[in-house]
Structure formats: C-alpha cells, structure tokens
Amino acid sequence: MKPKTELTDAELLRLMMAGDEESLTLLYKRRHQSIYRFALQMSGSQQVAEDVTHDVFLFLMKDGHVFDPARGSVSSFLFGVARNYVLRRFRGDQMAVPFAVGDDDEPFDQMAPEPSPLEDLTKTEMIENVRRAVLSLPERYREVVVLCELQELSYGETAEILGCAIGTVRSRLHRARGLLLAKLRPTREQGDLVSSAAVESARCFA
C-alpha cells in the first residue's frame, strides 16, 4: 500500500470522508496555502482570507461527498468553494479591504542578488500598484487574473472553477489584461520597461 503522502487528493478525500483524520491533515497541508492566497488576492484582506480558508475546509469535512471526480480535480473543487465564499463576503458584509502598503510577508529568492535600496523601493511600489490594480477590477475580471496569472492555472481549470466556457475565460482575461495595463501604464518618461516589469511582478502578489 502506498504511503498516504503519495496518495492523490481524491484518494485522501475519500479516506477523509471515511473518518481518517490523518488524510484530512495531509490534504489541508497540501492545499490550504493556495486557497489562502486565492482568497487574499481576491479580497485584499488577510482576515477574509483566513476566514475563507477555514470555511472551505469546514465545508470539505461536512460536505466533501459532493465532490465528483468526473467533473474535475479536488484542487479545482476547493477553488470553486473558496470563490463562492469570497463572493459571499463581497455581497454580504463588505469585509474586503485594500491591501496595506508593506504587508507582503513572502521573502524574495535568497539566491538572487540583493537589490539596492532604490531598486527594492521601486519593486515594492510596483507590487503594491499591481495589487491595487487587481483589486480594483470588477469581480469577473479579477478572478480570471488571480486564477490564470497569479495562481497560474490553465484556461481549462479556470473554466471548471468558474463554471463557464474556456472561450469566456479567454475573453475575460484579454479584457482584464487591457484594464490592468491601462491602470499600470507609467508616465511617458518611464517608458515600457516599468510597465513590463510591473506585469511580471504580479506573481509576487502573495
């Protein structure tokens, strides 16, 4: 028998629903960070992200039996549940708030050359600008940017999560990229270099 650490998400979920607490722990450790990042990138609020992550796994423990492997992966299923909770917060108590400057706790690659103070400031400002621009997008555009650009999911996975056609994901993402570039467009003196770097820095979002 394979060690549980080598089991697929679907296998862990099946064991979890049969009462195996270790499988729940392993599945949580494997997937909770991506769910938290998604909720954070969508809401801009650490509190909302923590609450949503908690709610997603409570839902999984109670109603994990509704997962249908024929319709997609456990990961996509969890993103879909998280999306529903995030949208519920948007439309309910309006807890989502903008990111505060400097709340990015993720370290940069320690093997990379250490930037000068000016470079570090420029990068921090750039990431903050990306955060604010993403958070300013309408929900239907924000979620495709978060899933495709920040979470780096495929169009197919994103369509599965959103319950729409792949063509819809493509068209929304195209529109969202246009809106983001318009919001992030630097002054003419700075040129395209900063604009390009700003788009690339989006993956430092969380």
Side-chain angles (χ1 to χ4, degrees), residues 43-168:
S43 70
S45 167
Q46 293 182 354
Q47 185 60 57
V48 169
E50 290 171 2
D51 290 347
V52 166
T53 304
H54 179 260
D55 290 344
V56 166
F57 283 92
L58 278 181
F59 175 89
L60 192 66
M61 285 187 286
K62 181 181 177 182
D63 296 307
H65 60 274
V66 303
F67 167 70
D68 181 359
R71 298 182 61 183
S73 67
V74 171
S75 177
S76 295
F77 173 73
L78 292 177
F79 276 122
V81 175
R83 172 182 178 252
N84 288 337
Y85 279 117
V86 170
L87 294 181
R88 201 173 293 175
R89 296 298 287 264
F90 285 165
R91 295 161 186 170
D93 57 20
Q94 298 297 316
M95 283 286 290
V97 296
F99 275 91
V101 175
D103 66 348
D104 185 14
D105 296 329
E106 287 294 317
F108 292 111
D109 184 355
Q110 295 183 2
M111 297 301 292
E114 185 174 348
S116 70
L118 180 59
E119 289 173 337
D120 188 52
L121 178 62
T122 300
K123 183 177 290 186
T124 299
E125 291 176 346
M126 200 177 295
I127 292 170
E128 178 61 22
N129 288 340
V130 172
R131 285 173 165 166
R132 293 186 184 278
V134 171
L135 288 170
S136 72
L137 293 173
E139 292 168 13
R140 65 185 180 279
Y141 298 134
R142 190 188 318 175
E143 58 193 9
V144 293
V145 168
V146 169
L147 291 169
C148 293
E149 299 286 7
L150 306 185
Q151 295 291 336
E152 300 185 69
L153 300 184
S154 68
Y155 291 157
E157 290 171 313
T158 300
E160 178 186 321
I161 292 165
L162 302 183
C164 65
I166 290 178
T168 301

